[in-house]
mmCIF file of all heavy atoms in Angstrom:
data_model
loop_
_atom_site.group_PDB
_atom_site.id
_atom_site.type_symbol
_atom_site.label_atom_id
_atom_site.label_comp_id
_atom_site.label_asym_id
_atom_site.label_seq_id
_atom_site.Cartn_x
_atom_site.Cartn_y
_atom_site.Cartn_z
ATOM 1 N N LEU J 304 -46.522 47.367 55.205
ATOM 2 C CA LEU J 304 -45.557 46.510 54.516
ATOM 3 C C LEU J 304 -44.954 47.192 53.310
ATOM 4 O O LEU J 304 -43.707 47.266 53.186
ATOM 5 C CB LEU J 304 -46.206 45.173 54.139
ATOM 6 C CG LEU J 304 -45.307 44.223 53.349
ATOM 7 C CD1 LEU J 304 -44.142 43.741 54.197
ATOM 8 C CD2 LEU J 304 -46.143 43.014 52.874
ATOM 9 N N GLN J 330 -43.364 48.095 65.152
ATOM 10 C CA GLN J 330 -43.736 47.102 64.163
ATOM 11 C C GLN J 330 -43.119 45.691 64.479
ATOM 12 O O GLN J 330 -43.587 44.681 63.966
ATOM 13 C CB GLN J 330 -43.280 47.498 62.774
ATOM 14 C CG GLN J 330 -43.856 48.831 62.275
ATOM 15 C CD GLN J 330 -45.295 49.050 62.685
ATOM 16 O OE1 GLN J 330 -46.184 48.325 62.244
ATOM 17 N NE2 GLN J 330 -45.560 50.024 63.520
ATOM 18 N N LEU J 331 -42.121 45.683 65.347
ATOM 19 C CA LEU J 331 -41.544 44.385 65.732
ATOM 20 C C LEU J 331 -42.479 43.495 66.489
ATOM 21 O O LEU J 331 -42.246 42.302 66.669
ATOM 22 C CB LEU J 331 -40.240 44.630 66.548
ATOM 23 C CG LEU J 331 -39.074 45.291 65.808
ATOM 24 C CD1 LEU J 331 -37.908 45.480 66.764
ATOM 25 C CD2 LEU J 331 -38.685 44.491 64.577
ATOM 26 N N THR J 332 -43.599 44.079 66.986
ATOM 27 C CA THR J 332 -44.606 43.283 67.686
ATOM 28 C C THR J 332 -45.890 43.183 66.890
ATOM 29 O O THR J 332 -46.915 42.704 67.403
ATOM 30 C CB THR J 332 -44.873 43.861 69.097
ATOM 31 O OG1 THR J 332 -45.347 45.225 68.901
ATOM 32 C CG2 THR J 332 -43.641 43.820 69.955
ATOM 33 N N HIS J 333 -45.872 43.625 65.654
ATOM 34 C CA HIS J 333 -47.093 43.551 64.778
ATOM 35 C C HIS J 333 -47.484 42.082 64.631
ATOM 36 O O HIS J 333 -46.639 41.194 64.558
ATOM 37 C CB HIS J 333 -46.788 44.192 63.430
ATOM 38 C CG HIS J 333 -48.011 44.511 62.676
ATOM 39 N ND1 HIS J 333 -48.691 43.575 61.961
ATOM 40 C CD2 HIS J 333 -48.694 45.705 62.532
ATOM 41 C CE1 HIS J 333 -49.743 44.156 61.376
ATOM 42 N NE2 HIS J 333 -49.766 45.458 61.717
ATOM 43 N N GLU J 334 -48.769 41.864 64.528
ATOM 44 C CA GLU J 334 -49.279 40.488 64.374
ATOM 45 C C GLU J 334 -48.895 39.847 63.056
ATOM 46 O O GLU J 334 -48.802 38.638 62.950
ATOM 47 C CB GLU J 334 -50.791 40.435 64.578
ATOM 48 C CG GLU J 334 -51.548 41.233 63.505
ATOM 49 C CD GLU J 334 -53.011 41.338 63.747
ATOM 50 O OE1 GLU J 334 -53.447 41.338 64.918
ATOM 51 O OE2 GLU J 334 -53.760 41.474 62.756
ATOM 52 N N ASN J 335 -48.643 40.659 62.023
ATOM 53 C CA ASN J 335 -48.318 40.115 60.733
ATOM 54 C C ASN J 335 -46.763 39.910 60.636
ATOM 55 O O ASN J 335 -46.007 40.861 60.776
ATOM 56 C CB ASN J 335 -48.806 41.041 59.629
ATOM 57 C CG ASN J 335 -48.563 40.493 58.245
ATOM 58 O OD1 ASN J 335 -47.447 40.466 57.775
ATOM 59 N ND2 ASN J 335 -49.622 39.993 57.637
ATOM 60 N N SER J 336 -46.397 38.686 60.356
ATOM 61 C CA SER J 336 -44.972 38.358 60.318
ATOM 62 C C SER J 336 -44.217 39.062 59.182
ATOM 63 O O SER J 336 -43.037 39.393 59.293
ATOM 64 C CB SER J 336 -44.744 36.855 60.230
ATOM 65 O OG SER J 336 -45.277 36.344 59.070
ATOM 66 N N PHE J 337 -44.896 39.384 58.090
ATOM 67 C CA PHE J 337 -44.195 40.087 56.997
ATOM 68 C C PHE J 337 -43.889 41.535 57.410
ATOM 69 O O PHE J 337 -42.829 42.029 57.073
ATOM 70 C CB PHE J 337 -45.048 40.096 55.728
ATOM 71 C CG PHE J 337 -45.163 38.718 55.132
ATOM 72 C CD1 PHE J 337 -46.392 38.056 55.110
ATOM 73 C CD2 PHE J 337 -44.067 38.106 54.551
ATOM 74 C CE1 PHE J 337 -46.522 36.820 54.527
ATOM 75 C CE2 PHE J 337 -44.156 36.815 53.997
ATOM 76 C CZ PHE J 337 -45.413 36.189 53.980
ATOM 77 N N VAL J 338 -44.810 42.154 58.137
ATOM 78 C CA VAL J 338 -44.555 43.514 58.672
ATOM 79 C C VAL J 338 -43.368 43.460 59.609
ATOM 80 O O VAL J 338 -42.462 44.288 59.536
ATOM 81 C CB VAL J 338 -45.814 44.081 59.341
ATOM 82 C CG1 VAL J 338 -45.450 45.367 60.092
ATOM 83 C CG2 VAL J 338 -46.903 44.345 58.318
ATOM 84 N N ARG J 339 -43.341 42.443 60.481
ATOM 85 C CA ARG J 339 -42.189 42.312 61.413
ATOM 86 C C ARG J 339 -40.890 42.104 60.651
ATOM 87 O O ARG J 339 -39.891 42.709 60.946
ATOM 88 C CB ARG J 339 -42.447 41.153 62.404
ATOM 89 C CG ARG J 339 -43.546 41.458 63.386
ATOM 90 C CD ARG J 339 -43.544 40.479 64.564
ATOM 91 N NE ARG J 339 -43.394 39.088 64.267
ATOM 92 C CZ ARG J 339 -44.393 38.273 63.970
ATOM 93 N NH1 ARG J 339 -45.645 38.671 63.930
ATOM 94 N NH2 ARG J 339 -44.161 36.969 63.728
ATOM 95 N N ALA J 340 -40.918 41.236 59.672
ATOM 96 C CA ALA J 340 -39.688 40.954 58.885
ATOM 97 C C ALA J 340 -39.120 42.226 58.249
ATOM 98 O O ALA J 340 -37.967 42.484 58.304
ATOM 99 C CB ALA J 340 -39.997 39.914 57.797
ATOM 100 N N TRP J 341 -40.008 43.026 57.680
ATOM 101 C CA TRP J 341 -39.559 44.250 57.005
ATOM 102 C C TRP J 341 -39.223 45.351 58.020
ATOM 103 O O TRP J 341 -38.444 46.272 57.715
ATOM 104 C CB TRP J 341 -40.555 44.692 55.954
ATOM 105 C CG TRP J 341 -40.376 43.817 54.753
ATOM 106 C CD1 TRP J 341 -41.033 42.637 54.463
ATOM 107 C CD2 TRP J 341 -39.405 43.955 53.716
ATOM 108 N NE1 TRP J 341 -40.536 42.075 53.314
ATOM 109 C CE2 TRP J 341 -39.538 42.868 52.837
ATOM 110 C CE3 TRP J 341 -38.436 44.901 53.429
ATOM 111 C CZ2 TRP J 341 -38.768 42.693 51.714
ATOM 112 C CZ3 TRP J 341 -37.632 44.753 52.286
ATOM 113 C CH2 TRP J 341 -37.814 43.681 51.448
ATOM 114 N N ALA J 342 -39.764 45.256 59.229
ATOM 115 C CA ALA J 342 -39.335 46.175 60.271
ATOM 116 C C ALA J 342 -37.855 45.907 60.664
ATOM 117 O O ALA J 342 -37.067 46.819 60.852
ATOM 118 C CB ALA J 342 -40.226 46.095 61.496
ATOM 119 N N TYR J 343 -37.527 44.615 60.739
ATOM 120 C CA TYR J 343 -36.104 44.286 60.984
ATOM 121 C C TYR J 343 -35.242 44.786 59.863
ATOM 122 O O TYR J 343 -34.155 45.334 60.080
ATOM 123 C CB TYR J 343 -35.968 42.743 61.135
ATOM 124 C CG TYR J 343 -36.418 42.238 62.441
ATOM 125 C CD1 TYR J 343 -37.608 41.470 62.527
ATOM 126 C CD2 TYR J 343 -35.768 42.433 63.619
ATOM 127 C CE1 TYR J 343 -38.074 40.943 63.716
ATOM 128 C CE2 TYR J 343 -36.218 41.934 64.839
ATOM 129 C CZ TYR J 343 -37.362 41.203 64.874
ATOM 130 O OH TYR J 343 -37.833 40.711 66.036
ATOM 131 N N ASN J 344 -35.696 44.661 58.625
ATOM 132 C CA ASN J 344 -35.016 45.171 57.493
ATOM 133 C C ASN J 344 -34.816 46.725 57.648
ATOM 134 O O ASN J 344 -33.778 47.256 57.331
ATOM 135 C CB ASN J 344 -35.769 44.876 56.193
ATOM 136 C CG ASN J 344 -35.018 45.347 54.985
ATOM 137 O OD1 ASN J 344 -34.136 44.697 54.458
ATOM 138 N ND2 ASN J 344 -35.384 46.515 54.460
ATOM 139 N N GLY J 345 -35.849 47.386 58.171
ATOM 140 C CA GLY J 345 -35.759 48.802 58.391
ATOM 141 C C GLY J 345 -34.688 49.168 59.377
ATOM 142 O O GLY J 345 -34.024 50.181 59.231
ATOM 143 N N TYR J 346 -34.463 48.351 60.348
ATOM 144 C CA TYR J 346 -33.371 48.571 61.288
ATOM 145 C C TYR J 346 -32.029 48.463 60.602
ATOM 146 O O TYR J 346 -31.089 49.213 60.881
ATOM 147 C CB TYR J 346 -33.450 47.597 62.489
ATOM 148 C CG TYR J 346 -34.137 48.128 63.667
ATOM 149 C CD1 TYR J 346 -35.518 47.805 63.873
ATOM 150 C CD2 TYR J 346 -33.539 48.976 64.599
ATOM 151 C CE1 TYR J 346 -36.176 48.345 64.956
ATOM 152 C CE2 TYR J 346 -34.247 49.464 65.696
ATOM 153 C CZ TYR J 346 -35.551 49.165 65.862
ATOM 154 O OH TYR J 346 -36.240 49.695 66.896
ATOM 155 N N THR J 360 -29.366 46.864 66.457
ATOM 156 C CA THR J 360 -29.902 46.101 65.324
ATOM 157 C C THR J 360 -29.436 44.682 65.432
ATOM 158 O O THR J 360 -30.201 43.726 65.265
ATOM 159 C CB THR J 360 -29.512 46.731 64.003
ATOM 160 O OG1 THR J 360 -30.098 48.048 63.990
ATOM 161 C CG2 THR J 360 -30.066 45.953 62.829
ATOM 162 N N LEU J 363 -31.280 42.857 68.103
ATOM 163 C CA LEU J 363 -32.633 42.537 67.650
ATOM 164 C C LEU J 363 -32.631 41.354 66.694
ATOM 165 O O LEU J 363 -33.481 40.451 66.753
ATOM 166 C CB LEU J 363 -33.275 43.774 67.014
ATOM 167 C CG LEU J 363 -33.637 44.910 67.956
ATOM 168 C CD1 LEU J 363 -34.029 46.137 67.129
ATOM 169 C CD2 LEU J 363 -34.748 44.485 68.889
ATOM 170 N N PHE J 364 -31.657 41.332 65.801
ATOM 171 C CA PHE J 364 -31.527 40.227 64.847
ATOM 172 C C PHE J 364 -31.298 38.897 65.591
ATOM 173 O O PHE J 364 -31.886 37.866 65.252
ATOM 174 C CB PHE J 364 -30.369 40.456 63.845
ATOM 175 C CG PHE J 364 -30.691 41.437 62.755
ATOM 176 C CD1 PHE J 364 -31.882 42.121 62.696
ATOM 177 C CD2 PHE J 364 -29.728 41.634 61.751
ATOM 178 C CE1 PHE J 364 -32.149 43.033 61.668
ATOM 179 C CE2 PHE J 364 -29.988 42.540 60.708
ATOM 180 C CZ PHE J 364 -31.176 43.221 60.671
ATOM 181 N N GLU J 365 -30.413 38.919 66.563
ATOM 182 C CA GLU J 365 -30.132 37.694 67.344
ATOM 183 C C GLU J 365 -31.381 37.188 68.033
ATOM 184 O O GLU J 365 -31.634 35.966 68.033
ATOM 185 C CB GLU J 365 -29.008 37.968 68.359
ATOM 186 C CG GLU J 365 -27.624 38.192 67.755
ATOM 187 C CD GLU J 365 -27.163 36.991 66.902
ATOM 188 O OE1 GLU J 365 -27.416 35.825 67.265
ATOM 189 O OE2 GLU J 365 -26.597 37.254 65.817
ATOM 190 N N MET J 366 -32.146 38.106 68.667
ATOM 191 C CA MET J 366 -33.407 37.714 69.316
ATOM 192 C C MET J 366 -34.370 37.126 68.304
ATOM 193 O O MET J 366 -35.015 36.088 68.581
ATOM 194 C CB MET J 366 -34.042 38.929 69.991
ATOM 195 C CG MET J 366 -33.902 38.927 71.443
ATOM 196 S SD MET J 366 -34.783 40.307 72.277
ATOM 197 C CE MET J 366 -35.488 41.321 71.050
ATOM 198 N N ALA J 367 -34.499 37.760 67.146
ATOM 199 C CA ALA J 367 -35.451 37.304 66.109
ATOM 200 C C ALA J 367 -35.055 35.915 65.611
ATOM 201 O O ALA J 367 -35.932 35.095 65.357
ATOM 202 C CB ALA J 367 -35.455 38.322 64.994
ATOM 203 N N MET J 368 -33.772 35.658 65.491
ATOM 204 C CA MET J 368 -33.317 34.370 64.990
ATOM 205 C C MET J 368 -33.647 33.252 65.960
ATOM 206 O O MET J 368 -33.709 32.090 65.574
ATOM 207 C CB MET J 368 -31.806 34.400 64.649
ATOM 208 C CG MET J 368 -31.477 35.297 63.492
ATOM 209 S SD MET J 368 -32.364 34.976 61.965
ATOM 210 C CE MET J 368 -31.563 33.515 61.397
ATOM 211 N N ARG J 369 -33.874 33.579 67.203
ATOM 212 C CA ARG J 369 -34.307 32.584 68.187
ATOM 213 C C ARG J 369 -35.840 32.439 68.259
ATOM 214 O O ARG J 369 -36.347 31.339 68.416
ATOM 215 C CB ARG J 369 -33.817 32.970 69.622
ATOM 216 C CG ARG J 369 -32.334 32.790 69.833
ATOM 217 C CD ARG J 369 -31.955 32.972 71.303
ATOM 218 N NE ARG J 369 -32.467 34.196 71.885
ATOM 219 C CZ ARG J 369 -31.757 35.336 71.938
ATOM 220 N NH1 ARG J 369 -30.555 35.413 71.413
ATOM 221 N NH2 ARG J 369 -32.291 36.430 72.503
ATOM 222 N N ASP J 370 -36.527 33.556 68.102
ATOM 223 C CA ASP J 370 -37.936 33.622 68.451
ATOM 224 C C ASP J 370 -38.921 33.742 67.315
ATOM 225 O O ASP J 370 -40.104 33.457 67.468
ATOM 226 C CB ASP J 370 -38.210 34.782 69.424
ATOM 227 C CG ASP J 370 -37.367 34.678 70.676
ATOM 228 O OD1 ASP J 370 -37.014 33.567 71.081
ATOM 229 O OD2 ASP J 370 -37.106 35.752 71.260
ATOM 230 N N GLU J 371 -38.534 34.234 66.162
ATOM 231 C CA GLU J 371 -39.425 34.552 65.075
ATOM 232 C C GLU J 371 -39.629 33.336 64.134
ATOM 233 O O GLU J 371 -38.805 32.434 64.089
ATOM 234 C CB GLU J 371 -38.903 35.734 64.256
ATOM 235 C CG GLU J 371 -38.962 37.090 64.964
ATOM 236 C CD GLU J 371 -40.347 37.652 65.006
ATOM 237 O OE1 GLU J 371 -41.317 37.008 64.537
ATOM 238 O OE2 GLU J 371 -40.493 38.773 65.513
ATOM 239 N N PRO J 372 -40.727 33.358 63.394
ATOM 240 C CA PRO J 372 -40.981 32.296 62.408
ATOM 241 C C PRO J 372 -40.008 32.373 61.243
ATOM 242 O O PRO J 372 -39.285 33.343 61.059
ATOM 243 C CB PRO J 372 -42.403 32.552 61.966
ATOM 244 C CG PRO J 372 -42.669 33.985 62.250
ATOM 245 C CD PRO J 372 -41.844 34.352 63.409
ATOM 246 N N ALA J 373 -40.009 31.322 60.449
ATOM 247 C CA ALA J 373 -39.065 31.153 59.331
ATOM 248 C C ALA J 373 -39.090 32.337 58.346
ATOM 249 O O ALA J 373 -38.068 32.762 57.830
ATOM 250 C CB ALA J 373 -39.366 29.847 58.616
ATOM 251 N N SER J 374 -40.254 32.892 58.136
ATOM 252 C CA SER J 374 -40.357 34.021 57.145
ATOM 253 C C SER J 374 -39.551 35.213 57.601
ATOM 254 O O SER J 374 -38.864 35.896 56.804
ATOM 255 C CB SER J 374 -41.775 34.424 56.918
ATOM 256 O OG SER J 374 -42.408 34.795 58.130
ATOM 257 N N VAL J 375 -39.563 35.488 58.903
ATOM 258 C CA VAL J 375 -38.824 36.638 59.451
ATOM 259 C C VAL J 375 -37.330 36.308 59.482
ATOM 260 O O VAL J 375 -36.511 37.118 59.061
ATOM 261 C CB VAL J 375 -39.302 36.964 60.875
ATOM 262 C CG1 VAL J 375 -38.463 38.044 61.502
ATOM 263 C CG2 VAL J 375 -40.783 37.370 60.847
ATOM 264 N N LYS J 376 -36.987 35.105 59.850
ATOM 265 C CA LYS J 376 -35.554 34.668 59.849
ATOM 266 C C LYS J 376 -34.987 34.744 58.412
ATOM 267 O O LYS J 376 -33.831 35.136 58.263
ATOM 268 C CB LYS J 376 -35.447 33.271 60.413
ATOM 269 C CG LYS J 376 -35.751 33.186 61.870
ATOM 270 C CD LYS J 376 -35.737 31.721 62.335
ATOM 271 C CE LYS J 376 -36.111 31.622 63.802
ATOM 272 N NZ LYS J 376 -36.186 30.225 64.268
ATOM 273 N N ALA J 377 -35.781 34.340 57.446
ATOM 274 C CA ALA J 377 -35.306 34.422 56.056
ATOM 275 C C ALA J 377 -34.971 35.829 55.670
ATOM 276 O O ALA J 377 -33.965 36.115 54.985
ATOM 277 C CB ALA J 377 -36.322 33.820 55.140
ATOM 278 N N ARG J 378 -35.779 36.770 56.040
ATOM 279 C CA ARG J 378 -35.560 38.184 55.690
ATOM 280 C C ARG J 378 -34.260 38.680 56.367
ATOM 281 O O ARG J 378 -33.438 39.372 55.735
ATOM 282 C CB ARG J 378 -36.732 39.054 56.168
ATOM 283 C CG ARG J 378 -36.578 40.516 55.845
ATOM 284 C CD ARG J 378 -36.889 40.749 54.357
ATOM 285 N NE ARG J 378 -35.967 41.705 53.855
ATOM 286 C CZ ARG J 378 -35.379 41.684 52.678
ATOM 287 N NH1 ARG J 378 -35.699 40.762 51.780
ATOM 288 N NH2 ARG J 378 -34.528 42.571 52.312
ATOM 289 N N ILE J 379 -34.071 38.307 57.595
ATOM 290 C CA ILE J 379 -32.855 38.711 58.350
ATOM 291 C C ILE J 379 -31.621 38.090 57.681
ATOM 292 O O ILE J 379 -30.575 38.768 57.522
ATOM 293 C CB ILE J 379 -32.960 38.344 59.839
ATOM 294 C CG1 ILE J 379 -34.014 39.238 60.484
ATOM 295 C CG2 ILE J 379 -31.616 38.468 60.543
ATOM 296 C CD1 ILE J 379 -34.387 38.863 61.907
ATOM 297 N N ARG J 380 -31.718 36.836 57.277
ATOM 298 C CA ARG J 380 -30.582 36.199 56.550
ATOM 299 C C ARG J 380 -30.262 36.966 55.291
ATOM 300 O O ARG J 380 -29.093 37.199 54.968
ATOM 301 C CB ARG J 380 -30.857 34.727 56.292
ATOM 302 C CG ARG J 380 -30.665 33.844 57.498
ATOM 303 C CD ARG J 380 -30.663 32.364 57.182
ATOM 304 N NE ARG J 380 -31.940 31.910 56.627
ATOM 305 C CZ ARG J 380 -32.953 31.511 57.382
ATOM 306 N NH1 ARG J 380 -32.878 31.498 58.672
ATOM 307 N NH2 ARG J 380 -34.088 31.128 56.813
ATOM 308 N N GLN J 381 -31.310 37.394 54.573
ATOM 309 C CA GLN J 381 -31.057 38.174 53.316
ATOM 310 C C GLN J 381 -30.390 39.503 53.622
ATOM 311 O O GLN J 381 -29.493 39.923 52.896
ATOM 312 C CB GLN J 381 -32.383 38.402 52.599
ATOM 313 C CG GLN J 381 -32.917 37.152 51.947
ATOM 314 C CD GLN J 381 -34.275 37.338 51.278
ATOM 315 O OE1 GLN J 381 -34.891 38.428 51.470
ATOM 316 N NE2 GLN J 381 -34.732 36.401 50.551
ATOM 317 N N VAL J 382 -30.843 40.153 54.699
ATOM 318 C CA VAL J 382 -30.234 41.421 55.051
ATOM 319 C C VAL J 382 -28.769 41.231 55.408
ATOM 320 O O VAL J 382 -27.889 42.008 54.985
ATOM 321 C CB VAL J 382 -30.997 42.074 56.276
ATOM 322 C CG1 VAL J 382 -30.220 43.206 56.904
ATOM 323 C CG2 VAL J 382 -32.402 42.490 55.866
ATOM 324 N N ARG J 383 -28.483 40.205 56.151
ATOM 325 C CA ARG J 383 -27.073 39.949 56.559
ATOM 326 C C ARG J 383 -26.213 39.626 55.338
ATOM 327 O O ARG J 383 -25.021 39.987 55.333
ATOM 328 C CB ARG J 383 -27.046 38.811 57.576
ATOM 329 C CG ARG J 383 -27.495 39.230 58.962
ATOM 330 C CD ARG J 383 -27.449 38.116 59.926
ATOM 331 N NE ARG J 383 -27.481 38.606 61.299
ATOM 332 C CZ ARG J 383 -27.754 37.846 62.334
ATOM 333 N NH1 ARG J 383 -27.998 36.579 62.178
ATOM 334 N NH2 ARG J 383 -27.790 38.332 63.575
#
Side-chain angles (χ1 to χ4, degrees):
L304 176 64
Q330 303 321 296
L331 295 178
T332 59
H333 196 279
E334 63 188 28
N335 185 285
S336 62
F337 292 112
V338 170
R339 291 195 313 273
W341 283 92
Y343 285 108
N344 184 82
Y346 266 96
T360 299
L363 290 169
F364 283 5
E365 291 301 321
M366 255 184 357
M368 294 306 285
R369 288 190 307 268
D370 302 333
E371 289 283 4
S374 58
V375 175
K376 292 176 183 176
R378 181 78 220 142
I379 291 171
R380 281 192 295 274
Q381 288 177 350
V382 167
R383 285 178 163 165

